[in-house]
Amino acid sequence: MSDALVELRGIAKGFGEGEARVQALSDITLSVAAGEVVGLRGPSGSGKSTLLNLVACILEPDAGLLRLAGETVWEGRWRRTDLRAFRRERIGFIFQFHNLLPFLDATDNVALAQTLNGVPLKAARQRARALLDYLQVGKRAAAMPAKLSGGEAQRVAIARALANHPRIILADEPTAALDSERAGVVMDLLRQVAREQAAAVLVVTHDEKIFSRFDRLVSLRDGRIEAESRPEKHELDVI
Amino acid sequence: MNLALRDIRHNLGRFLLTCLGLGLLLGVALAMVGIYRGVVEEALSLARALRADLWVVEAGTRGPFAEASRIPGDVREAVARLPGVLAAGAVTFQTVEARHAGGPGEAEPWTEEALRERAGEAGRQRIGAVLRLQVVGHEPDRPGGPPEILEGRGIGRGRLEMVVDRGAGLRPGAIVEMANIRYRVVGLTHRTVSTGGDPLAWITLRDAQELQFRLAPPAARRAQQGGGGALPQDTVNAVIARVSPHARAEDIAAGIRRWKHFAALTAAEQETVLTRSVVERARRQLGMFTGVLLLVSAVIVALIVYTMTMDKLREIATLKLIGAPDRSIVALIMQQALLLGGTGFAGGTALLLSVKDAFPRRVLLGPEEILGFGLVVFVICLAASLLGVRYALRIEPAQALGG
Ligand SMILES: Nc1ncnc2c1ncn2[C@@H]1O[C@H](COP(=O)(O)OP(=O)(O)OP(=O)(O)O)[C@@H](O)[C@H]1O
Ligand SMILES: [Mg+2]
């Protein structure tokens, strides 16, 4: 696929040494095209988060090839050295455990991601508030992360991931703490971003209620891709 | 937005507590700097109080402070006649344990009249508090007298009068007893102490020679009386001279050194003797301890910054996750270290400035000392934060993942 924004070929990743060695991923070949929303499912420990972290250049693969936004990022070694700038500019990551900065309020958590990219603080805060409003946490814009509920924190984290208009969006169970209505809002937003920004979206999820909203569903088991399917009726979904 | 400040504001109580602890430590370190500078300053205070350009002392000595020096008082005339010498005066020095009445704790100064009113023995008993004084005997109207009189008046020709440093805690009118002779305090000076920190007390040379005679051991007294008649000998410890601005003290000193039995020191030489010899050990001791304290402060600042960084492991990893460059992370740590040091320094300095005058000896803290110390604290904080920075730069973004 030539227009793939995310492209993995024969990616493998293990943790630990000797007897404690865990082969988290083996021979993963997967690509996500611009505008595509791909779901990643599988039992706990099957390697979903590990796969996402590899794509986000947070973990280094052991073998294979990783191409992102048309650039070979890893092949035998890091081909791109400034991973943090790459992540800042190209990738929006919604972590499994939100990872909000505890000393910034919701607005500034979202604004910081933008100011790191050179956006003036005022404009960054404006966009942050708009995103929070859209995600229905506008009322909590001034709250510190410790005062947010799990679902609120997750939506703030989503706003942060989207703030910089990334081409690649990675989300680790973004709807786990949300009720089905809000989960629907989040999925709609991700789909909209994929369409409007021609972004590739890769979402880890356990949530069967939203399976139908993916263009493709990839199932992982024991670190290998077990199956790929295309949900039928996603255009008609109203939750 | 400034992450360092935002993080501090989020944990303000904890930050202030850390600042308080550091402030106390830096206050102690600054106190040592002040005490060190005070000792050096006090060592020179006696010599400076007398405003002598030239010291004439016993041959082969570097007296009268570093070594004992005894010369005949009439040398003064010979020195005064030297070309270039404006005035000369004979001086004696002795450390005396005096007793006094009219200390700061008493409502009224014990004047002689008041003592007389209390009929003999009863009054005498009231004179009891012990006071160490460095007594300077000088010839009125000649070099060697007290500098600026802060309160009261100078001695004039009056016998049994005394001008004393304010640090003795006496007021004009108070009575001081030495070797059973009573002196009346007529004036006070300020910041005039011996190299050991004892307050200076000026009396006339005649009074001082009499005092010296009375305080001498009985055998020596008998010998002196046998040799020189009933009166105590005219012996002094040094003759000091003021030199005309057109003459060089070095040249006059060189001339005097050719005389038999005498040695001469210029003011600069006397100051060198005082700092390099008389208070050398105290100076080195305090200097080393100051160094140790600064080192300890540096280590503690380093540890504080390091643990502060370790506490922020997750936040720093998250910053790396969202793509913050090392620059912002280094700035976060360094700014916090400097803020910590700055606040601690300000607190410690304020604390010390408010208590320094309660110290029994001089704690010298001018703008120079404080600025210098501030600079040292700044450097310490910068250096100490390097340890934290190194730790922070090694944090992997993946360390922010997981529950
Ligand atoms: N940093 C690590 N060190 C050692 N082992 C790890 C590490 N990260 C993941 N693993 C192991 O790799 C395997 C895959 O983990 P991963 O977190 O990718 O699973 P997951 O599919 O995301 O599970 P969950 O649904 O519970 O989040 C697991 O066996 C896990 O124990
Ligand atoms: Mg996971």
Side-chain angles (χ1 to χ4, degrees):
Chain A
M1 230 185 279
S2 59
D3 60 343
L5 284 177
V6 176
E7 198 180 341
L8 292 83
R9 258 188 264 150
I11 287 285
K13 175 69 183 172
F15 294 106
E17 299 290 325
E19 280 187 20
R21 175 130 185 118
V22 179
Q23 193 60 37
L25 291 173
S26 337
D27 195 24
I28 299 289
T29 298
L30 172 76
S31 55
V32 185
E36 203 181 11
V37 182
V38 174
L40 201 57
R41 57 184 293 208
S44 181
S46 57
K48 305 183 296 292
S49 296
T50 305
L51 180 56
L52 232 51
N53 292 339
L54 284 171
V55 176
C57 309
I58 294 165
L59 294 177
E60 185 175 359
D62 294 338
L65 168 80
L66 175 64
R67 280 173 70 78
L68 297 171
E71 198 176 323
T72 301
V73 174
W74 196 91
E75 190 179 15
R77 60 177 172 83
W78 291 115
R79 298 292 162 143
R80 165 121 194 187
T81 45
D82 196 358
L83 295 171
R84 246 182 275 167
F86 185 78
R87 200 153 53 224
R88 191 166 70 218
E89 287 154 16
R90 298 294 172 81
I91 300 176
F93 200 140
I94 301 152
F95 306 101
Q96 193 168 1
F97 303 97
H98 338 310
N99 287 102
L100 296 175
L101 289 169
F103 51 85
L104 297 181
D105 62 21
T107 307
D108 281 348
N109 258 290
V110 180
L112 175 66
Q114 302 169 69
T115 54
L116 288 175
N117 251 349
V119 179
L121 184 60
K122 215 174 147 197
R125 282 188 173 148
Q126 229 159 34
R127 176 162 166 74
R129 276 190 215 102
L131 274 167
L132 293 174
D133 278 341
Y134 184 85
L135 287 161
Q136 303 175 1
V137 277
K139 275 196 298 245
R140 309 291 283 141
M144 300 306 277
K147 299 273 153 69
L148 297 172
S149 74
E152 287 169 340
Q154 205 147 23
R155 280 176 283 160
V156 174
I158 293 168
R160 179 177 67 183
L162 299 181
N164 281 328
H165 307 282
R167 292 297 308 278
I168 297 166
I169 295 165
L170 309 169
D172 203 342
E173 310 207 25
T175 61
L178 303 181
D179 56 77
S180 51
E181 189 201 321
R182 290 192 168 78
V185 169
V186 167
M187 284 311 296
D188 285 344
L189 176 64
L190 290 177
R191 292 190 59 80
Q192 187 193 335
V193 169
R195 221 178 319 115
E196 287 173 2
Q197 297 176 22
V201 181
L202 187 57
V203 181
V204 169
T205 185
H206 276 120
D207 190 354
E208 294 193 17
K209 292 192 294 293
I210 61 167
F211 280 175
S212 57
R213 297 188 168 227
F214 293 104
D215 297 323
R216 242 184 327 140
L217 263 176
V218 176
S219 300
L220 275 185
R221 182 173 295 276
D222 297 333
R224 290 176 186 278
I225 295 181
E226 189 187 41
E228 266 196 56
S229 61
R230 285 181 183 274
E232 309 283 295
K233 49 172 180 97
H234 70 253
E235 280 96 340
L236 307 170
D237 262 357
V238 177
I239 296 181
Chain B
M1 70 191 82
N2 187 304
L3 297 178
L5 285 178
R6 298 291 289 267
D7 182 48
I8 285 173
R9 213 195 300 163
H10 187 238
N11 285 313
L12 191 61
R14 197 180 140 182
F15 179 79
L16 289 181
L17 217 62
T18 313
C19 284
L20 178 73
L22 188 62
L24 292 175
L25 177 67
L26 292 181
V28 171
L30 183 60
M32 282 316 298
V33 173
I35 290 168
Y36 171 86
R37 297 282 295 118
V39 161
V40 174
E41 183 76 10
E42 283 189 346
L44 300 177
S45 116
L46 201 173
R48 286 189 180 159
L50 302 185
R51 284 160 302 158
D53 300 321
L54 199 63
W55 294 78
V56 181
V57 295
E58 188 177 333
T61 74
R62 296 193 302 159
F65 309 113
E67 294 169 283
S69 152
R70 290 169 73 82
I71 55 174
D74 52 23
V75 177
R76 198 249 314 143
E77 281 153 43
V79 173
R81 275 197 301 272
L82 285 173
V85 170
L86 295 178
V91 283
T92 63
F93 301 97
Q94 56 197 323
T95 301
V96 179
E97 285 230 314
R99 292 175 179 279
H100 74 90
E106 286 165 59
E108 280 195 15
W110 281 98
T111 58
E112 198 138 28
E113 295 74 45
L115 287 172
R116 220 176 286 125
E117 257 171 44
R118 297 192 178 234
E121 281 310 297
R124 192 159 284 264
Q125 274 164 10
R126 294 304 300 256
I127 297 192
V130 174
L131 177 66
R132 260 178 81 87
L133 294 174
Q134 168 94 315
V135 177
V136 182
H138 73 292
E139 301 172 278
D141 303 326
R142 296 220 168 95
E148 201 190 353
I149 302 284
L150 210 69
E151 201 184 324
R153 58 172 174 83
I155 286 180
R157 304 226 155 250
R159 291 203 55 192
L160 299 179
E161 291 183 343
M162 173 187 274
V163 167
V164 69
D165 184 78
R166 201 166 60 162
L170 300 175
R171 278 174 294 176
I175 298 298
V176 175
E177 188 180 289
M178 298 185 287
N180 271 324
I181 307 176
R182 287 180 174 185
Y183 301 82
R184 181 209 295 271
V185 174
V186 296
L188 298 182
T189 58
H190 180 46
R191 287 196 176 143
T192 46
V193 293
S194 73
T195 55
D198 297 323
L200 294 190
W202 277 267
I203 56 178
T204 63
L205 185 65
R206 282 189 60 193
D207 283 349
Q209 284 171 332
E210 164 119 31
L211 181 66
Q212 216 153 30
F213 175 75
R214 284 197 181 215
L215 287 172
R221 218 180 317 176
R222 267 196 303 278
Q224 221 177 60
Q225 266 173 332
L231 280 171
Q233 254 176 9
D234 183 21
T235 303
V236 298
N237 298 118
V239 167
I240 60 176
R242 302 246 162 81
V243 170
S244 143
H246 308 295
R248 278 165 39 93
E250 290 85 352
D251 300 340
I252 302 173
I256 293 171
R257 280 186 204 116
R258 282 194 293 273
W259 300 358
K260 254 189 187 173
H261 309 305
F262 300 109
L265 295 94
T266 63
E269 284 167 347
Q270 186 63 269
E271 292 198 354
T272 310
V273 168
L274 283 166
T275 47
R276 294 287 149 198
S277 164
V278 177
V279 295
E280 176 67 2
R281 273 173 210 288
R283 198 175 65 83
R284 286 225 315 260
Q285 175 98 343
L286 291 172
M288 274 185 70
F289 190 61
T290 309
V292 167
L293 263 179
L294 287 177
L295 195 72
V296 168
S297 309
V299 170
I300 287 180
V301 173
L303 287 178
I304 291 174
V305 174
Y306 190 68
T307 47
M308 255 168 45
T309 313
M310 283 210 292
D311 283 347
K312 278 199 280 294
L313 179 135
R314 204 177 154 82
E315 284 88 333
I316 290 169
T318 302
L319 281 168
K320 291 188 175 185
L321 274 184
I322 64 171
D326 285 340
R327 182 165 26 90
S328 348
I329 290 159
V330 171
L332 167 72
I333 292 163
M334 288 221 156
Q335 285 170 1
Q336 288 198 344
L338 290 180
L339 261 167
L340 182 77
T343 314
F345 167 73
T349 305
L351 175 79
L352 192 64
L353 286 179
S354 62
V355 299
K356 79 177 171 78
D357 290 331
F359 281 71
R361 286 193 65 176
R362 181 110 188 259
V363 179
L364 180 66
L365 284 179
E368 216 173 287
E369 284 78 21
I370 293 175
L371 279 180
F373 185 70
L375 203 69
V376 170
V377 171
F378 178 77
V379 171
I380 283 177
C381 286
L382 273 191
S385 63
L386 292 182
L387 202 65
V389 165
R390 203 176 88 114
Y391 176 86
L393 291 182
R394 286 180 171 188
I395 293 174
E396 290 288 331
Q399 284 175 272
L401 304 171

